[in-house]
Amino acid sequence: FASAFCERNKHPMKLTLLLLLASVAASADTCGKTTPGANTDDGDTNLIVWVRCTPAADSTVNAAKVYVGNYMTGQLTAALYASDGAAGQPHTQLCPGAAVTPPGSNTWVTVPLSNCGVLVAGHDYWIGINENGGTTAIQWRYDAGGSNYFTGQTCCTWPATIAGNTAITNTYSAQLDITPLSNAVPRKHTGWIQ
């Protein structure tokens, strides 16, 4: 196909550009808390900690990322919920993640998410994180300040709806890896990208 295309069009550079553009993936973005917090917190087994995420553009979701401080044993998980509870609290599950084992301490841990639907620009969503490591085996990182929640829930399953949230003023280090719809590479079906 490539040689025939070049022969017909006499523009090998155009073909190179075409193949390059066709292989470029849509660039990713993030929302949530994207830096490791200055403080550590442990003893959060079977407790969902919620982090607010407000995308700047309509986006699809690739994964959640959670920053782990000290790690000894156990697994963690993450999920995404809508802010359709009372006063914008997390309530309805959009997509759950599986339990994953952190590779070590002081690192971002990725929890793949799929079938979350399209996040609407300017709307709040909630990243939930939970772990089963016991009293001190997995430490979250956080900064003081913010308006978030925690909820008692056995790890590592995610109910269809959540209730009984308690307000907290700490913001934990969890974020979404998202792809804004506006970043998709445009394609035309005319044999050339213009």
Side-chain angles (χ1 to χ4, degrees), residues 24-51:
V24 172
S27 59
D29 202 351
T30 56
C31 70
K33 180 166 174 50
T34 60
T35 57
N39 306 299
T40 59
D41 187 16
D42 52 33
D44 292 326
T45 288
N46 298 325
L47 189 71
I48 301 173
V49 176
W50 300 99
V51 179

Side-chain angles (χ1 to χ4, degrees), residues 114-158:
S114 61
N115 300 316
C116 302
V118 174
L119 306 190
V120 178
H123 287 238
D124 289 342
Y125 298 87
W126 291 99
I127 308 163
I129 59 176
N130 201 350
E131 52 95 353
N132 63 6
T135 305
T136 60
I138 296 179
Q139 290 183 329
W140 301 136
R141 296 286 290 273
Y142 72 94
D143 284 327
S147 178
N148 298 293
Y149 298 93
F150 71 83
T151 312
Q153 170 66 33
T154 301
C155 186
C156 295
T157 59
W158 296 99

Side-chain angles (χ1 to χ4, degrees), residues 56-109:
D58 291 357
S59 304
T60 56
V61 178
N62 305 311
K65 294 181 178 180
V66 187
Y67 196 87
V68 171
N70 185 54
Y71 171 72
M72 290 185 288
T73 187
Q75 293 184 306
L76 63 82
T77 184
L80 184 64
Y81 278 67
S83 59
D84 57 345
Q89 296 181 35
H91 180 61
T92 301
Q93 182 207 107
L94 298 178
C95 49
V100 300
T101 301
S105 299
N106 301 311
T107 188
W108 289 100
V109 180

